Amino acid sequence: FADDDYSGTNWERPAWKELMSEIESGNVSVIIVKDMSRVGRDYLRVGLFMEMLRENGIRLIAVNDSVDTLKGDDDFTPFRNIISEWYARDTSKKIKSVLHAKGNSGKHMTNAAIYGYVKDPADKNHWLIDPEAAAVVRRIFNMTIEGKGAYQIARILTDEKVTRPQVYIAIRDGGNYVPKSADEPYTWGGRSVQNILDKLEYAGHTVNFKTEKSSYKSRKMSYRPQDEWVVFENTQEPIIDTETWHTAQKCRTVRRRGINKDPNPLTGLLYCGDCGSRLYNHRGTLAGVYDSQDSYACNQYSKYPPKCTRHYIRTSTAQNLILGAIKSVSDYVRNNQAEFIKIVRDENELRHEQDTKTRRKQLVKNQKRYAELDTIIKRLFEEKISGAITDKRFEILSGDYEREQSELETQIAELQAGLEQYQADGEKAEQFIKVVKKYTDFTELTPSMLNEYIEKVIIYEPEKVNGRVKKQKVEIFLNFIGKFDLPIDGEDEPEEAEEIDLEEIKKAKWRENYYKNREQILAKKAAERTAVKERKLTEQPLKSPEEIAAEQQARRERKREYQREYQRKWREQNPERWEETLKRHQAKKKKKTA
């Protein structure tokens, strides 16, 4: 039995499992190995294996280690097993240190380029775009932004006979992958689509140390937290831009949280103006609202007891407001592009002006002190050479100055990163203009338009006036530029119009129709109730008084059990209120007794 290219730390080796099967079948009397490390590199499991051979009367010979269980136990064998494991552990540490050095240098850590890229023939650590696969990657991201889920995309690609990534890479790199069936090369899974959407590499970056193994003995990979990843930006040509990648992630989050199989495109964009929670989409009747089909309400309102007010808004109303805002801002940007850039930059500078001044002042101060420390350390070294200060004093002073210099270096990097971020914020107007130029038709609000234009929409509680008129404040925040108010001259500024409450009008019409035809409606309902009772009497077989009494008793028991269970759950969820209620009842009982 031989297991080539398998580590001795792996106990799932194919030939090893065949050998164990032969041992269990009683077909083995002697096992010969080159040395004990060929059995395995885990001294505990090797010891158990030798004990199992001893119990089954099987002889073990390790030629190079002079081990022969027929001649008796060798006291040094356990130490050989420990040394074999130490060798595997030491090798693992060395390989891990090499991989860490490679990953921290910004090189890709995968053996093959991911789907959408190929290795550069001139430099294997650099990736080039694979046009055929890159087109599929772009399409997957675009379909996600349009509102399709991972499994919907997988079905579309399967129906179109697009070769799935594993097979494509195997064929491209000359692998020997053989599909189990004729349709398997084209069978996409939702997990494959999700893996593509997860990869930040498609935005042109290198991401290392996303996974890890708990031990060199384990083959199971686990994902590390995202803040522990090491990202090197702009290491290869991007297949999609960074904004598209982030937009797709936002769309995926919305679909994960959506209750319906086909969630409303507005889901995940509407937020409560008071508690900040997301607004949930309701496609049935919302409690306390007449004609509430396809609407949004605060998530905290649906809880019991309600932790916030309703913040109700119809989906159609929200869509019209968003579409109007997008159209107005886009028209203004097209006609006044230079003025729009100036307004956005002025607002950004005004928002960050004081902080920017403070950061720049501190940056200059830190850089000056850093240069001073360089001079001081040089002078200290010269004084040490000349014998003006002792070696001990030199070590103390130079250590303090180097620590201070190291702290200043970290602070300088943070300050520069903050100033660069402000500069990037100032360039967001150009990014928004790119989105405006992408869309020209505003007759319909598509999911892709929503996700590329809208950051969030804040919905406030409606204010009712005279019972029939209401005003509702809605704030729309656009991607890159936030809340943007169109500049309007004071003379031309229109008066705030009051919106007629269609809900109250519908209620009034219903009440008028009900009282007008009240007698006919009541007579019709009474006839329907009578017909139902007669049908039940004819359909149900006659029962004896004992059966009827037993059924009534069972219903009472079920009701009491339901009440007890409901009361138990209520006590567990509201222990403080239960204690207050109990004390109040005890006080009443004591007062009544007195």
Side-chain angles (χ1 to χ4, degrees), residues 336-362:
N336 307 275
Q337 184 169 321
E339 186 179 349
F340 168 74
I341 293 174
K342 184 178 182 302
I343 291 173
V344 173
R345 285 183 173 175
D346 289 346
E347 288 182 354
N348 180 68
E349 288 178 5
L350 185 64
R351 188 164 54 248
H352 299 303
E353 182 178 7
Q354 188 60 40
D355 195 14
T356 304
K357 287 181 179 179
T358 305
R359 281 179 177 269
R360 283 177 179 163
K361 188 175 179 180
Q362 186 65 40

PDB file of all heavy atoms in Angstrom, residues 336-362:
ATOM      1  N   ASN A 336     -26.714  72.095 -15.424  1.00  0.00           N
ATOM      2  CA  ASN A 336     -25.837  72.966 -14.634  1.00  0.00           C
ATOM      3  C   ASN A 336     -24.706  72.132 -14.016  1.00  0.00           C
ATOM      4  O   ASN A 336     -24.539  72.113 -12.797  1.00  0.00           O
ATOM      5  CB  ASN A 336     -26.636  73.671 -13.530  1.00  0.00           C
ATOM      6  CG  ASN A 336     -27.857  74.390 -14.057  1.00  0.00           C
ATOM      7  OD1 ASN A 336     -27.785  75.521 -14.509  1.00  0.00           O
ATOM      8  ND2 ASN A 336     -29.003  73.706 -13.997  1.00  0.00           N
ATOM      9  N   GLN A 337     -23.955  71.444 -14.840  1.00  0.00           N
ATOM     10  CA  GLN A 337     -22.957  70.515 -14.327  1.00  0.00           C
ATOM     11  C   GLN A 337     -21.873  71.220 -13.513  1.00  0.00           C
ATOM     12  O   GLN A 337     -21.538  70.785 -12.405  1.00  0.00           O
ATOM     13  CB  GLN A 337     -22.311  69.745 -15.488  1.00  0.00           C
ATOM     14  CG  GLN A 337     -21.314  68.689 -15.050  1.00  0.00           C
ATOM     15  CD  GLN A 337     -20.900  67.779 -16.195  1.00  0.00           C
ATOM     16  OE1 GLN A 337     -21.728  67.409 -17.025  1.00  0.00           O
ATOM     17  NE2 GLN A 337     -19.629  67.434 -16.248  1.00  0.00           N
ATOM     18  N   ALA A 338     -21.318  72.311 -14.037  1.00  0.00           N
ATOM     19  CA  ALA A 338     -20.250  73.026 -13.332  1.00  0.00           C
ATOM     20  C   ALA A 338     -20.748  73.591 -12.008  1.00  0.00           C
ATOM     21  O   ALA A 338     -20.067  73.504 -10.974  1.00  0.00           O
ATOM     22  CB  ALA A 338     -19.705  74.149 -14.215  1.00  0.00           C
ATOM     23  N   GLU A 339     -21.959  74.158 -12.017  1.00  0.00           N
ATOM     24  CA  GLU A 339     -22.517  74.720 -10.784  1.00  0.00           C
ATOM     25  C   GLU A 339     -22.790  73.623  -9.755  1.00  0.00           C
ATOM     26  O   GLU A 339     -22.576  73.807  -8.552  1.00  0.00           O
ATOM     27  CB  GLU A 339     -23.813  75.475 -11.107  1.00  0.00           C
ATOM     28  CG  GLU A 339     -24.395  76.225  -9.927  1.00  0.00           C
ATOM     29  CD  GLU A 339     -25.651  76.976 -10.297  1.00  0.00           C
ATOM     30  OE1 GLU A 339     -25.945  77.084 -11.501  1.00  0.00           O
ATOM     31  OE2 GLU A 339     -26.349  77.444  -9.381  1.00  0.00           O
ATOM     32  N   PHE A 340     -23.247  72.445 -10.232  1.00  0.00           N
ATOM     33  CA  PHE A 340     -23.519  71.322  -9.326  1.00  0.00           C
ATOM     34  C   PHE A 340     -22.234  70.864  -8.631  1.00  0.00           C
ATOM     35  O   PHE A 340     -22.216  70.647  -7.417  1.00  0.00           O
ATOM     36  CB  PHE A 340     -24.127  70.168 -10.130  1.00  0.00           C
ATOM     37  CG  PHE A 340     -24.193  68.864  -9.393  1.00  0.00           C
ATOM     38  CD1 PHE A 340     -25.129  68.659  -8.395  1.00  0.00           C
ATOM     39  CD2 PHE A 340     -23.298  67.837  -9.683  1.00  0.00           C
ATOM     40  CE1 PHE A 340     -25.180  67.456  -7.704  1.00  0.00           C
ATOM     41  CE2 PHE A 340     -23.350  66.642  -9.009  1.00  0.00           C
ATOM     42  CZ  PHE A 340     -24.297  66.451  -8.013  1.00  0.00           C
ATOM     43  N   ILE A 341     -21.139  70.738  -9.392  1.00  0.00           N
ATOM     44  CA  ILE A 341     -19.857  70.315  -8.797  1.00  0.00           C
ATOM     45  C   ILE A 341     -19.416  71.323  -7.746  1.00  0.00           C
ATOM     46  O   ILE A 341     -18.934  70.953  -6.663  1.00  0.00           O
ATOM     47  CB  ILE A 341     -18.794  70.153  -9.896  1.00  0.00           C
ATOM     48  CG1 ILE A 341     -19.168  68.978 -10.822  1.00  0.00           C
ATOM     49  CG2 ILE A 341     -17.417  69.920  -9.291  1.00  0.00           C
ATOM     50  CD1 ILE A 341     -18.268  68.828 -12.023  1.00  0.00           C
ATOM     51  N   LYS A 342     -19.587  72.617  -8.043  1.00  0.00           N
ATOM     52  CA  LYS A 342     -19.180  73.667  -7.106  1.00  0.00           C
ATOM     53  C   LYS A 342     -19.994  73.596  -5.810  1.00  0.00           C
ATOM     54  O   LYS A 342     -19.464  73.702  -4.704  1.00  0.00           O
ATOM     55  CB  LYS A 342     -19.343  75.033  -7.757  1.00  0.00           C
ATOM     56  CG  LYS A 342     -18.846  76.203  -6.897  1.00  0.00           C
ATOM     57  CD  LYS A 342     -18.993  77.513  -7.644  1.00  0.00           C
ATOM     58  CE  LYS A 342     -18.452  78.659  -6.790  1.00  0.00           C
ATOM     59  NZ  LYS A 342     -19.124  78.783  -5.499  1.00  0.00           N
ATOM     60  N   ILE A 343     -21.318  73.370  -5.934  1.00  0.00           N
ATOM     61  CA  ILE A 343     -22.181  73.299  -4.744  1.00  0.00           C
ATOM     62  C   ILE A 343     -21.776  72.120  -3.858  1.00  0.00           C
ATOM     63  O   ILE A 343     -21.636  72.252  -2.636  1.00  0.00           O
ATOM     64  CB  ILE A 343     -23.665  73.173  -5.172  1.00  0.00           C
ATOM     65  CG1 ILE A 343     -24.143  74.472  -5.809  1.00  0.00           C
ATOM     66  CG2 ILE A 343     -24.537  72.827  -3.969  1.00  0.00           C
ATOM     67  CD1 ILE A 343     -25.524  74.371  -6.414  1.00  0.00           C
ATOM     68  N   VAL A 344     -21.564  70.956  -4.481  1.00  0.00           N
ATOM     69  CA  VAL A 344     -21.208  69.757  -3.699  1.00  0.00           C
ATOM     70  C   VAL A 344     -19.867  69.950  -3.003  1.00  0.00           C
ATOM     71  O   VAL A 344     -19.696  69.621  -1.822  1.00  0.00           O
ATOM     72  CB  VAL A 344     -21.183  68.519  -4.607  1.00  0.00           C
ATOM     73  CG1 VAL A 344     -20.651  67.306  -3.853  1.00  0.00           C
ATOM     74  CG2 VAL A 344     -22.578  68.220  -5.134  1.00  0.00           C
ATOM     75  N   ARG A 345     -18.893  70.497  -3.714  1.00  0.00           N
ATOM     76  CA  ARG A 345     -17.577  70.704  -3.112  1.00  0.00           C
ATOM     77  C   ARG A 345     -17.627  71.746  -1.998  1.00  0.00           C
ATOM     78  O   ARG A 345     -16.964  71.598  -0.964  1.00  0.00           O
ATOM     79  CB  ARG A 345     -16.581  71.122  -4.200  1.00  0.00           C
ATOM     80  CG  ARG A 345     -16.166  69.961  -5.087  1.00  0.00           C
ATOM     81  CD  ARG A 345     -15.127  70.384  -6.094  1.00  0.00           C
ATOM     82  NE  ARG A 345     -14.630  69.211  -6.829  1.00  0.00           N
ATOM     83  CZ  ARG A 345     -13.786  69.292  -7.847  1.00  0.00           C
ATOM     84  NH1 ARG A 345     -13.348  70.466  -8.260  1.00  0.00           N
ATOM     85  NH2 ARG A 345     -13.376  68.196  -8.457  1.00  0.00           N
ATOM     86  N   ASP A 346     -18.395  72.804  -2.204  1.00  0.00           N
ATOM     87  CA  ASP A 346     -18.513  73.839  -1.170  1.00  0.00           C
ATOM     88  C   ASP A 346     -19.137  73.268   0.098  1.00  0.00           C
ATOM     89  O   ASP A 346     -18.689  73.546   1.218  1.00  0.00           O
ATOM     90  CB  ASP A 346     -19.347  75.021  -1.679  1.00  0.00           C
ATOM     91  CG  ASP A 346     -18.596  75.829  -2.743  1.00  0.00           C
ATOM     92  OD1 ASP A 346     -17.375  75.627  -2.859  1.00  0.00           O
ATOM     93  OD2 ASP A 346     -19.243  76.634  -3.441  1.00  0.00           O
ATOM     94  N   GLU A 347     -20.194  72.444  -0.073  1.00  0.00           N
ATOM     95  CA  GLU A 347     -20.843  71.838   1.095  1.00  0.00           C
ATOM     96  C   GLU A 347     -19.891  70.877   1.798  1.00  0.00           C
ATOM     97  O   GLU A 347     -19.848  70.816   3.031  1.00  0.00           O
ATOM     98  CB  GLU A 347     -22.108  71.095   0.657  1.00  0.00           C
ATOM     99  CG  GLU A 347     -23.245  72.014   0.245  1.00  0.00           C
ATOM    100  CD  GLU A 347     -24.481  71.238  -0.143  1.00  0.00           C
ATOM    101  OE1 GLU A 347     -24.406  69.991  -0.190  1.00  0.00           O
ATOM    102  OE2 GLU A 347     -25.520  71.873  -0.403  1.00  0.00           O
ATOM    103  N   ASN A 348     -19.111  70.124   1.013  1.00  0.00           N
ATOM    104  CA  ASN A 348     -18.153  69.193   1.612  1.00  0.00           C
ATOM    105  C   ASN A 348     -17.065  69.940   2.384  1.00  0.00           C
ATOM    106  O   ASN A 348     -16.694  69.562   3.496  1.00  0.00           O
ATOM    107  CB  ASN A 348     -17.520  68.328   0.514  1.00  0.00           C
ATOM    108  CG  ASN A 348     -16.521  67.341   1.067  1.00  0.00           C
ATOM    109  OD1 ASN A 348     -16.885  66.411   1.771  1.00  0.00           O
ATOM    110  ND2 ASN A 348     -15.257  67.532   0.753  1.00  0.00           N
ATOM    111  N   GLU A 349     -16.555  71.020   1.794  1.00  0.00           N
ATOM    112  CA  GLU A 349     -15.522  71.804   2.476  1.00  0.00           C
ATOM    113  C   GLU A 349     -16.069  72.456   3.734  1.00  0.00           C
ATOM    114  O   GLU A 349     -15.387  72.530   4.760  1.00  0.00           O
ATOM    115  CB  GLU A 349     -14.970  72.866   1.517  1.00  0.00           C
ATOM    116  CG  GLU A 349     -14.097  72.280   0.413  1.00  0.00           C
ATOM    117  CD  GLU A 349     -13.613  73.348  -0.544  1.00  0.00           C
ATOM    118  OE1 GLU A 349     -13.881  74.541  -0.272  1.00  0.00           O
ATOM    119  OE2 GLU A 349     -12.980  72.990  -1.555  1.00  0.00           O
ATOM    120  N   LEU A 350     -17.308  72.955   3.650  1.00  0.00           N
ATOM    121  CA  LEU A 350     -17.916  73.578   4.824  1.00  0.00           C
ATOM    122  C   LEU A 350     -18.103  72.568   5.942  1.00  0.00           C
ATOM    123  O   LEU A 350     -17.903  72.867   7.122  1.00  0.00           O
ATOM    124  CB  LEU A 350     -19.265  74.192   4.431  1.00  0.00           C
ATOM    125  CG  LEU A 350     -19.991  74.986   5.511  1.00  0.00           C
ATOM    126  CD1 LEU A 350     -19.174  76.216   5.891  1.00  0.00           C
ATOM    127  CD2 LEU A 350     -21.375  75.395   5.040  1.00  0.00           C
ATOM    128  N   ARG A 351     -18.446  71.329   5.566  1.00  0.00           N
ATOM    129  CA  ARG A 351     -18.686  70.290   6.558  1.00  0.00           C
ATOM    130  C   ARG A 351     -17.387  69.841   7.228  1.00  0.00           C
ATOM    131  O   ARG A 351     -17.351  69.522   8.405  1.00  0.00           O
ATOM    132  CB  ARG A 351     -19.380  69.101   5.870  1.00  0.00           C
ATOM    133  CG  ARG A 351     -19.857  68.021   6.810  1.00  0.00           C
ATOM    134  CD  ARG A 351     -20.850  67.092   6.151  1.00  0.00           C
ATOM    135  NE  ARG A 351     -20.368  66.509   4.919  1.00  0.00           N
ATOM    136  CZ  ARG A 351     -20.847  66.784   3.717  1.00  0.00           C
ATOM    137  NH1 ARG A 351     -21.813  67.671   3.566  1.00  0.00           N
ATOM    138  NH2 ARG A 351     -20.365  66.198   2.626  1.00  0.00           N
ATOM    139  N   HIS A 352     -16.302  69.840   6.458  1.00  0.00           N
ATOM    140  CA  HIS A 352     -15.037  69.327   6.980  1.00  0.00           C
ATOM    141  C   HIS A 352     -13.985  70.414   7.200  1.00  0.00           C
ATOM    142  O   HIS A 352     -12.831  70.086   7.484  1.00  0.00           O
ATOM    143  CB  HIS A 352     -14.453  68.278   6.020  1.00  0.00           C
ATOM    144  CG  HIS A 352     -15.331  67.078   5.826  1.00  0.00           C
ATOM    145  ND1 HIS A 352     -15.763  66.294   6.865  1.00  0.00           N
ATOM    146  CD2 HIS A 352     -15.873  66.528   4.697  1.00  0.00           C
ATOM    147  CE1 HIS A 352     -16.520  65.316   6.398  1.00  0.00           C
ATOM    148  NE2 HIS A 352     -16.605  65.443   5.090  1.00  0.00           N
ATOM    149  N   GLU A 353     -14.388  71.669   7.043  1.00  0.00           N
ATOM    150  CA  GLU A 353     -13.398  72.747   7.065  1.00  0.00           C
ATOM    151  C   GLU A 353     -12.596  72.771   8.362  1.00  0.00           C
ATOM    152  O   GLU A 353     -11.360  72.764   8.359  1.00  0.00           O
ATOM    153  CB  GLU A 353     -14.102  74.097   6.857  1.00  0.00           C
ATOM    154  CG  GLU A 353     -13.147  75.277   6.821  1.00  0.00           C
ATOM    155  CD  GLU A 353     -13.888  76.584   6.575  1.00  0.00           C
ATOM    156  OE1 GLU A 353     -15.135  76.581   6.563  1.00  0.00           O
ATOM    157  OE2 GLU A 353     -13.201  77.603   6.412  1.00  0.00           O
ATOM    158  N   GLN A 354     -13.296  72.790   9.502  1.00  0.00           N
ATOM    159  CA  GLN A 354     -12.605  72.903  10.779  1.00  0.00           C
ATOM    160  C   GLN A 354     -11.745  71.675  11.069  1.00  0.00           C
ATOM    161  O   GLN A 354     -10.595  71.785  11.503  1.00  0.00           O
ATOM    162  CB  GLN A 354     -13.640  73.103  11.912  1.00  0.00           C
ATOM    163  CG  GLN A 354     -13.021  73.420  13.261  1.00  0.00           C
ATOM    164  CD  GLN A 354     -12.187  74.689  13.244  1.00  0.00           C
ATOM    165  OE1 GLN A 354     -12.555  75.671  12.619  1.00  0.00           O
ATOM    166  NE2 GLN A 354     -11.033  74.662  13.889  1.00  0.00           N
ATOM    167  N   ASP A 355     -12.319  70.505  10.791  1.00  0.00           N
ATOM    168  CA  ASP A 355     -11.566  69.270  11.040  1.00  0.00           C
ATOM    169  C   ASP A 355     -10.338  69.185  10.139  1.00  0.00           C
ATOM    170  O   ASP A 355      -9.264  68.727  10.543  1.00  0.00           O
ATOM    171  CB  ASP A 355     -12.478  68.062  10.808  1.00  0.00           C
ATOM    172  CG  ASP A 355     -11.893  66.786  11.396  1.00  0.00           C
ATOM    173  OD1 ASP A 355     -10.938  66.888  12.188  1.00  0.00           O
ATOM    174  OD2 ASP A 355     -12.371  65.700  11.053  1.00  0.00           O
ATOM    175  N   THR A 356     -10.477  69.631   8.879  1.00  0.00           N
ATOM    176  CA  THR A 356      -9.351  69.595   7.946  1.00  0.00           C
ATOM    177  C   THR A 356      -8.227  70.510   8.423  1.00  0.00           C
ATOM    178  O   THR A 356      -7.041  70.137   8.381  1.00  0.00           O
ATOM    179  CB  THR A 356      -9.821  70.018   6.544  1.00  0.00           C
ATOM    180  OG1 THR A 356     -10.895  69.176   6.138  1.00  0.00           O
ATOM    181  CG2 THR A 356      -8.685  69.902   5.538  1.00  0.00           C
ATOM    182  N   LYS A 357      -8.590  71.718   8.872  1.00  0.00           N
ATOM    183  CA  LYS A 357      -7.568  72.644   9.376  1.00  0.00           C
ATOM    184  C   LYS A 357      -6.819  72.049  10.562  1.00  0.00           C
ATOM    185  O   LYS A 357      -5.591  72.132  10.658  1.00  0.00           O
ATOM    186  CB  LYS A 357      -8.224  73.969   9.778  1.00  0.00           C
ATOM    187  CG  LYS A 357      -8.666  74.825   8.602  1.00  0.00           C
ATOM    188  CD  LYS A 357      -9.290  76.122   9.102  1.00  0.00           C
ATOM    189  CE  LYS A 357      -9.726  77.006   7.933  1.00  0.00           C
ATOM    190  NZ  LYS A 357     -10.359  78.254   8.399  1.00  0.00           N
ATOM    191  N   THR A 358      -7.567  71.437  11.489  1.00  0.00           N
ATOM    192  CA  THR A 358      -6.946  70.837  12.676  1.00  0.00           C
ATOM    193  C   THR A 358      -6.007  69.705  12.283  1.00  0.00           C
ATOM    194  O   THR A 358      -4.885  69.590  12.805  1.00  0.00           O
ATOM    195  CB  THR A 358      -8.038  70.309  13.623  1.00  0.00           C
ATOM    196  OG1 THR A 358      -8.949  71.364  13.923  1.00  0.00           O
ATOM    197  CG2 THR A 358      -7.439  69.785  14.907  1.00  0.00           C
ATOM    198  N   ARG A 359      -6.458  68.873  11.347  1.00  0.00           N
ATOM    199  CA  ARG A 359      -5.627  67.748  10.919  1.00  0.00           C
ATOM    200  C   ARG A 359      -4.342  68.230  10.230  1.00  0.00           C
ATOM    201  O   ARG A 359      -3.260  67.697  10.475  1.00  0.00           O
ATOM    202  CB  ARG A 359      -6.414  66.848   9.961  1.00  0.00           C
ATOM    203  CG  ARG A 359      -7.388  65.897  10.666  1.00  0.00           C
ATOM    204  CD  ARG A 359      -8.152  65.068   9.653  1.00  0.00           C
ATOM    205  NE  ARG A 359      -9.038  64.114  10.306  1.00  0.00           N
ATOM    206  CZ  ARG A 359      -8.695  62.874  10.628  1.00  0.00           C
ATOM    207  NH1 ARG A 359      -7.493  62.444  10.360  1.00  0.00           N
ATOM    208  NH2 ARG A 359      -9.563  62.066  11.202  1.00  0.00           N
ATOM    209  N   ARG A 360      -4.466  69.220   9.352  1.00  0.00           N
ATOM    210  CA  ARG A 360      -3.286  69.717   8.647  1.00  0.00           C
ATOM    211  C   ARG A 360      -2.286  70.355   9.621  1.00  0.00           C
ATOM    212  O   ARG A 360      -1.071  70.160   9.500  1.00  0.00           O
ATOM    213  CB  ARG A 360      -3.714  70.737   7.594  1.00  0.00           C
ATOM    214  CG  ARG A 360      -4.321  70.084   6.347  1.00  0.00           C
ATOM    215  CD  ARG A 360      -4.802  71.107   5.369  1.00  0.00           C
ATOM    216  NE  ARG A 360      -5.365  70.457   4.171  1.00  0.00           N
ATOM    217  CZ  ARG A 360      -6.149  71.062   3.296  1.00  0.00           C
ATOM    218  NH1 ARG A 360      -6.473  72.334   3.469  1.00  0.00           N
ATOM    219  NH2 ARG A 360      -6.602  70.411   2.250  1.00  0.00           N
ATOM    220  N   LYS A 361      -2.807  71.082  10.573  1.00  0.00           N
ATOM    221  CA  LYS A 361      -1.937  71.720  11.570  1.00  0.00           C
ATOM    222  C   LYS A 361      -1.197  70.658  12.388  1.00  0.00           C
ATOM    223  O   LYS A 361       0.017  70.755  12.621  1.00  0.00           O
ATOM    224  CB  LYS A 361      -2.782  72.605  12.478  1.00  0.00           C
ATOM    225  CG  LYS A 361      -1.984  73.466  13.435  1.00  0.00           C
ATOM    226  CD  LYS A 361      -2.921  74.392  14.207  1.00  0.00           C
ATOM    227  CE  LYS A 361      -2.117  75.249  15.189  1.00  0.00           C
ATOM    228  NZ  LYS A 361      -3.007  76.151  15.959  1.00  0.00           N
ATOM    229  N   GLN A 362      -1.932  69.629  12.814  1.00  0.00           N
ATOM    230  CA  GLN A 362      -1.316  68.555  13.598  1.00  0.00           C
ATOM    231  C   GLN A 362      -0.326  67.761  12.749  1.00  0.00           C
ATOM    232  O   GLN A 362       0.725  67.318  13.237  1.00  0.00           O
ATOM    233  CB  GLN A 362      -2.410  67.624  14.141  1.00  0.00           C
ATOM    234  CG  GLN A 362      -1.912  66.550  15.098  1.00  0.00           C
ATOM    235  CD  GLN A 362      -1.343  67.139  16.378  1.00  0.00           C
ATOM    236  OE1 GLN A 362      -1.888  68.102  16.918  1.00  0.00           O
ATOM    237  NE2 GLN A 362      -0.244  66.582  16.857  1.00  0.00           N
TER     238      GLN A 362
END
